Amino acid sequence: QVQLVESGGGLVQAGGSLRLSCTISGSIRSPNPMGWYRQAPGKSREVVASITNAGYTNYKDSVKGRFTVSTDSAKKTVYLQMDGLKPEDTAVYYCNAVTNNNGDWKNYWGQGIQVTVSS
């Protein structure tokens, strides 16, 4: 059974930093890409950042220059370094991993972790 477990969320003042971690366990082959989504109250879930196995990254425009997505060498942990946090970054953040086994695409999700930025 595949599990994605997030950690590192919490409450921070505007301008502060947090680092989210997501550890992937279980039988999962070469997740590609991995990344982070978020969902604020009353809004749809949106992609924040993603990273491929080759190291290519992609970011939501509003977090470019403030957030950095990375993985460990084993590609079993994905991080989101969040600097210069703003109140509008407040949301539940979800880790995501995608696999493709001969055309059988699967999406795996973490349980979500709260990030609250106070003004």
Side-chain angles (χ1 to χ4, degrees), residues 27-32 98-106 108:
S27 179
I28 182 170
R29 276 182 72 179
S30 302
N32 185 32
V98 178
T99 61
N100 178 14
N101 184 14
N102 294 323
D104 180 20
W105 292 87
K106 289 186 179 178
Y108 297 94

Side-chain angles (χ1 to χ4, degrees), residues 7-88:
S7 61
L11 173 64
V12 65
Q13 287 189 332
S17 298
L18 285 174
R19 189 190 197 208
L20 304 183
S21 299
C22 172
T23 301
I24 303 171
S25 63
S27 179
I28 182 170
R29 276 182 72 179
S30 302
N32 185 32
M34 295 180 285
W36 294 89
Y37 286 66
R38 69 186 182 189
Q39 187 166 18
K43 295 189 177 181
S44 302
R45 191 174 295 190
E46 60 182 10
V47 62
V48 176
S50 63
I51 184 167
T52 69
N53 277 354
Y56 293 107
T57 57
N58 208 5
Y59 296 93
K60 177 180 172 60
D61 283 347
S62 63
V63 308
K64 285 180 181 176
R66 300 188 297 122
F67 290 11
T68 304
V69 62
S70 62
T71 61
D72 67 346
S73 57
K75 304 292 191 294
K76 285 300 183 77
T77 303
V78 58
Y79 305 98
L80 186 66
Q81 177 67 42
M82 304 185 293
D83 299 317
L85 282 160
K86 303 176 180 180
E88 50 264 43

Side-chain angles (χ1 to χ4, degrees), residues 89-118:
D89 294 318
T90 295
V92 177
Y93 283 69
Y94 296 90
C95 177
N96 172 260
V98 178
T99 61
N100 178 14
N101 184 14
N102 294 323
D104 180 20
W105 292 87
K106 289 186 179 178
N107 255 300
Y108 297 94
W109 295 95
Q111 80 284 358
I113 192 163
Q114 180 70 45
V115 170
T116 303
V117 185
S118 63

